[in-house]
Amino acid sequence: SKIETGAQEPTEKFKVACAKYLKTSVDRLFNDSLVEKVYPEFANGLKNKLWAVRRELGIKQYDFAKKLKVSTPFLSKVE
């Protein structure tokens, strides 16, 4: 997919919905910084803040995708 290859970014609507559900800001979730720079509690070099925060909050990918009204495969590619 375009998102998976980096040819397309997730939509702003999707980013806002993620941030709202995870109770954080779009800027904290979607930027080029390493996870540990934005969320120091993740000091293992992860790049995907969306995945890290979702996991930290104990939210299953299926449940998060359902809440965002997107498919689980789509969310997986974004993560």
Side-chain angles (χ1 to χ4, degrees):
S1 82
K2 291 180 181 179
I3 289 176
E4 193 172 14
T5 62
Q8 179 182 344
E9 287 286 314
T11 65
E12 193 62 26
K13 182 179 177 182
F14 177 81
K15 291 178 182 181
V16 169
C18 288
K20 182 178 178 182
Y21 188 73
L22 296 173
K23 297 181 176 125
T24 190
S25 70
V26 170
D27 292 336
R28 287 192 78 193
L29 285 177
F30 297 94
N31 61 60
D32 294 329
S33 300
L34 292 175
V35 171
E36 66 265 17
K37 297 214 185 250
V38 181
Y39 296 97
E41 59 271 26
F42 299 106
N44 59 357
L46 292 172
K47 285 190 170 185
N48 192 300
K49 290 166 279 301
L50 180 60
W51 177 86
V53 174
R54 178 182 64 75
R55 292 290 303 234
E56 176 70 12
L57 294 174
I59 301 169
K60 293 181 180 177
Q61 190 179 56
Y62 171 81
D63 295 332
F64 191 35
K66 188 174 178 182
K67 178 69 176 174
L68 295 171
K69 298 179 182 165
V70 298
S71 69
T72 303
F74 175 82
L75 180 58
S76 179
K77 289 175 185 175
V78 172
E79 289 186 336

